Amino acid sequence: MNPVNRLRGHLPKIGIRPVVDGRYGGIRESLEGQVMGMAQRTAKLVSENCRHACGLPVECVVADTCIGGAAEAASCEDKFSREDVGLSITVTPCWCYGSETIDMHPTRPKAIWGFNGAERPGAVYLAAALAGHAQKGLPCFAIYGHDVQDSGDDAIPLDVEEKLLRFVRAGVAVATLRGTSYLAIGGVSMGIAGSIVDQPFFERYLGVRVESVDMSEVQRRLDNGIFDVDEYERAVLWTRANCPEGKDWNAPDKKRSRMRLDEDWETSVKMALIARDLMIGNPNLSKMGHPEAAHGHNAIAGGFQGQRQWTDHRPNGDFMEAILTSSFDWNGIRQPFVFATENDSLNAVSMLFGHLMTGAAQLFSDVRTYWSAPAVQRVTGWTPTGRTADGFIHLINSGPSAVDWTGEARNHGGQPCVKPWWDLTETDVQACLGATVWCPSMTEYFPGGGWSSDFLTKGDMPVTMCRVNVVQGLGPVLQIAEGWTVDLPVDVHNALDERTNPTWPTTWFVPRLTGVGPFTSVYDVMAAWGANHGAISYGHNGHDLVALASMLRIPVDMHNCDTLFRPASWSRFGTLDPQGADFRACAAYGPLYG
């Protein structure tokens, strides 16, 4: 495992701002040690518990002095600017001068932890500073412990710790996006709206530029050998050894010759190398006489149109998409890429949200079929029970998915899981590869050939499905559905899977029902989903997604999270209607980058 920032630019740091009562003569002097200690403990908590998605530790920058007024706030801001601080946490156990000490940076995510102690009014400062943030149009998260602590208590309560880390996970994701690129290889795939790449959305809401490359550039690099030949030879050998072929489901007259299948493998591996190089560059290309190609596009995410202008005559992008989005390849365990099937840029963004906050591979999938219990019983004779009693959703991508999503990795308790890439072991990798077969693509979909990853995701894994949708007159909205993967009896799985395309990877999913709105039934969740694709992340991280969306000013139109963490000013838009308040607040503040 070799954590490395593969994009241009510095990774964002977390700025810690210790603020203090500015009155000298006994007050400030008595508080400075306590305030700075609070800041150092916060930095230690964050540094020990948070990583960037690339695996490197998150660094904290603490102001050189306590901040008692505007001059010291300016000095702190100067340091933060030099140190690439992307988000800030202000901490204090006491009263301070509200608007004189707050973080005034216009786009930096902000939080304030006001210590809940009776000796000094940290809560009073928190309320005053939040009022200043609200009045100045600078959303800020409020962190305040549930229970009163003694002034000398150095512990960070669990509820405070949870909010601090949630804020950091979401804020680091926001700051990491800024200044990167989305790389669209090709254009619109089969009229899928998500592949109509909305450049103003990327720029105004995410701070991400859009780079577009025609698929002919992939062909040019194939034709002219613009890829690392030595790595290619190594990659082909690894692929032959680790990617077993599955059943050829094509009709006899549609089956491809052994020679053609081998050629498809070779082209598929080259395409994976080329797409990676297009995203992040490759210095070896400069040595080969291709200095422009060596730079790449500084892409934090990308997508490949494929269908149909490419796949009607060339091997599909399934191997490329599956291996890039997995946490390993012929170079070993490494950070997965975010790379979208059919150039669905909005699903790429949804995958990116999950990956930046977890460091794990994400599942790109069609939200394909709702199977009711009566329908399953009619088709298979089996009556769903337990989690599947209200039916389930068939998640199945049209060709590829990250191989991590076999669920063959195991956590400390021995349960199936999808790990952050830096926690994977070689045993996990071999288990995931061993549970995946690669089927010759069905020529009715992919006349040009290629391979499709086929596996069945293990059940009983907590997962979160999300999707960004863009609506005319409204802008982007995010939907979230926490739930679980489920196991079906083998004969039931086979019967249902073979009714569609059995060469594609399958995940059986059940959302957690709350009895409210679209979460009244599994059918209602399926009916309310905003597009044909969804991005699935391991774990129940909907709360983090809600916090992230509020930082970007993207309202959440459906979720089944039990608690919400948003900037304090969201309450001013309606405490009795939090979902409506979210829409009103996002509309009032507008996109993060204008």
Side-chain angles (χ1 to χ4, degrees):
M1 199 251 312
N2 181 31
V4 61
N5 178 20
R6 60 195 181 198
L7 299 177
R8 307 297 174 89
H10 299 289
L11 291 170
K13 299 175 184 176
I14 292 84
I16 311 295
R17 308 175 73 255
V19 296
V20 70
D21 190 324
R23 291 172 286 192
Y24 285 97
I27 296 179
R28 176 165 179 160
E29 297 91 332
S30 69
L31 290 168
E32 284 197 324
Q34 182 184 2
V35 173
M36 190 59 76
M38 192 175 173
Q40 296 292 351
R41 290 192 301 276
T42 301
K44 183 174 185 290
L45 172 74
V46 170
S47 298
E48 291 179 349
N49 289 276
C50 296
R51 292 198 196 198
H52 294 283
C54 69
L56 292 170
V58 166
E59 295 183 51
C60 292
V61 176
V62 181
D64 292 332
T65 67
C66 291
I67 300 168
E72 289 162 319
S75 296
C76 173
E77 181 57 37
D78 180 59
K79 182 177 185 179
F80 283 7
S81 298
R82 287 184 277 110
E83 293 283 349
D84 299 305
V85 165
L87 57 154
S88 72
I89 302 172
T90 298
V91 301
T92 190
C94 60
W95 167 254
C96 316
Y97 302 157
S99 64
E100 297 181 25
T101 58
I102 63 175
D103 180 351
M104 294 282 286
H105 193 284
T107 60
R108 180 187 295 148
K110 307 166 185 57
I112 299 174
W113 173 23
F115 185 83
N116 185 0
E119 290 84 357
R120 295 280 182 178
V124 178
Y125 169 74
L126 176 62
L130 292 173
H133 276 286
Q135 191 165 335
K136 295 174 183 297
L138 299 169
C140 182
F141 288 76
I143 301 173
Y144 181 64
H146 186 273
D147 298 317
V148 171
Q149 295 178 260
D150 298 331
S151 61
D153 188 350
D154 289 345
I156 301 179
L158 289 178
D159 62 326
V160 171
E161 179 179 313
E162 180 182 2
K163 288 182 178 178
L164 284 170
L165 295 180
R166 177 160 294 151
F167 170 77
V168 169
R169 285 192 296 269
V172 166
V174 168
T176 301
L177 288 167
R178 189 182 307 126
T180 61
S181 304
Y182 175 81
L183 176 63
I185 303 177
V188 179
S189 175
M190 301 183 296
I192 293 172
S195 61
I196 305 172
V197 182
D198 188 331
Q199 296 198 23
F201 160 67
F202 275 88
E203 294 165 2
R204 299 177 66 212
Y205 284 89
L206 308 180
V208 173
R209 75 170 69 208
V210 174
E211 297 278 283
S212 297
V213 175
D214 193 85
M215 290 184 292
S216 63
E217 173 62 10
V218 178
Q219 188 63 58
R220 183 181 78 90
R221 296 193 184 201
L222 287 170
D223 292 344
N224 293 284
I226 306 176
F227 51 84
D228 187 324
V229 177
D230 291 339
E231 183 181 3
Y232 163 69
E233 296 295 343
R234 191 159 35 84
V236 166
L237 290 175
W238 180 91
T239 300
R240 289 171 180 160
N242 291 279
C243 299
E245 294 180 10
K247 179 178 176 180
D248 188 342
W249 292 81
N250 286 291
D253 63 329
K254 297 292 185 180
K255 293 182 188 294
R256 301 188 286 283
S257 69
R258 183 68 253 173
M259 180 181 293
R260 173 64 188 281
L261 293 173
D262 290 341
E263 290 173 353
D264 286 357
W265 271 126
E266 293 169 1
T267 300
S268 296
V269 172
K270 292 174 183 176
M271 288 172 64
L273 293 172
I274 289 168
R276 182 204 61 194
D277 293 349
L278 281 166
M279 289 183 73
I280 64 170
N282 185 342
N284 290 333
L285 299 183
S286 186
K287 300 172 186 176
M288 297 167 55
H290 305 287
E292 184 180 2
H295 290 300
H297 291 267
N298 199 40
I300 197 170
F304 182 68
Q305 175 193 334
Q307 298 185 78
R308 291 182 40 230
Q309 285 72 21
W310 181 273
T311 57
D312 275 7
H313 71 105
R314 297 294 285 151
N316 62 26
D318 290 1
F319 177 80
M320 168 182 66
E321 293 158 10
I323 207 66
L324 286 176
T325 57
S326 298
S327 301
F328 43 83
D329 59 17
W330 41 87
N331 292 317
I333 297 169
R334 50 95 176 117
Q335 182 186 3
F337 290 83
V338 172
F339 199 71
T341 303
E342 295 156 352
N343 193 29
D344 186 345
S345 62
L346 296 180
N347 218 51
V349 168
S350 308
M351 294 168 70
L352 191 54
F353 288 170
H355 173 63
L356 289 176
M357 292 192 290
T358 67
Q362 305 295 295
L363 179 69
F364 182 114
S365 222
D366 282 1
V367 184
R368 194 173 186 89
T369 309
Y370 163 68
W371 278 99
S372 67
V376 173
Q377 203 281 331
R378 175 181 62 81
V379 170
T380 69
W382 176 71
T383 301
T385 59
R387 280 188 180 145
T388 64
D390 189 51
F392 44 83
I393 295 173
H394 192 179
L395 302 178
I396 175 171
N397 195 12
S398 52
S401 285
V403 179
D404 303 58
W405 277 86
T406 57
E408 291 291 340
R410 292 293 184 269
N411 60 23
H412 293 302
Q415 290 85 27
C417 66
V418 178
K419 294 180 178 180
W421 72 270
W422 53 78
D423 284 339
L424 277 177
T425 66
E426 286 299 332
T427 299
D428 294 327
V429 171
Q430 291 305 314
C432 291
L433 289 167
T436 306
V437 295
W438 300 83
C439 299
S441 65
M442 300 290 285
T443 54
E444 63 190 82
Y445 289 101
F446 304 120
W451 297 89
S452 299
S453 58
D454 181 28
F455 58 75
L456 173 62
T457 301
K458 290 287 187 183
D460 293 323
M461 296 198 303
V463 298
T464 302
M465 184 165 74
C466 76
R467 169 76 189 189
V468 173
N469 299 292
V470 173
V471 181
Q472 176 69 32
L474 175 62
V477 289
L478 178 69
Q479 50 188 173
I480 301 166
E482 294 183 341
W484 299 269
T485 62
V486 292
D487 290 317
L488 304 182
V490 174
D491 59 332
V492 175
H493 161 74
N494 289 337
L496 302 185
D497 194 44
E498 291 177 19
R499 289 176 71 96
T500 179
N501 191 320
T503 70
W504 298 343
T506 279
T507 304
W508 302 109
F509 170 66
V510 172
R512 184 178 64 245
L513 301 180
T514 64
V516 177
F519 293 96
T520 302
S521 71
V522 178
Y523 173 85
D524 290 329
V525 173
M526 176 80 175
W529 205 249
N532 53 311
H533 293 149
I536 298 87
S537 184
Y538 178 79
H540 287 159
N541 54 22
H543 307 85
D544 291 349
L545 288 168
V546 167
L548 170 63
S550 65
M551 293 178 185
L552 297 171
R553 323 289 166 73
I554 298 174
V556 178
D557 66 284
M558 64 179 274
H559 70 82
N560 55 349
C561 305
D562 50 3
T563 59
L564 303 175
F565 188 41
R566 290 179 171 128
S569 58
W570 261 237
S571 294
R572 306 286 70 77
F573 290 87
T575 55
L576 299 180
D577 176 20
Q579 185 173 40
D582 183 31
F583 278 82
R584 290 186 286 272
C586 290
Y589 287 116
L592 180 58
Y593 301 104

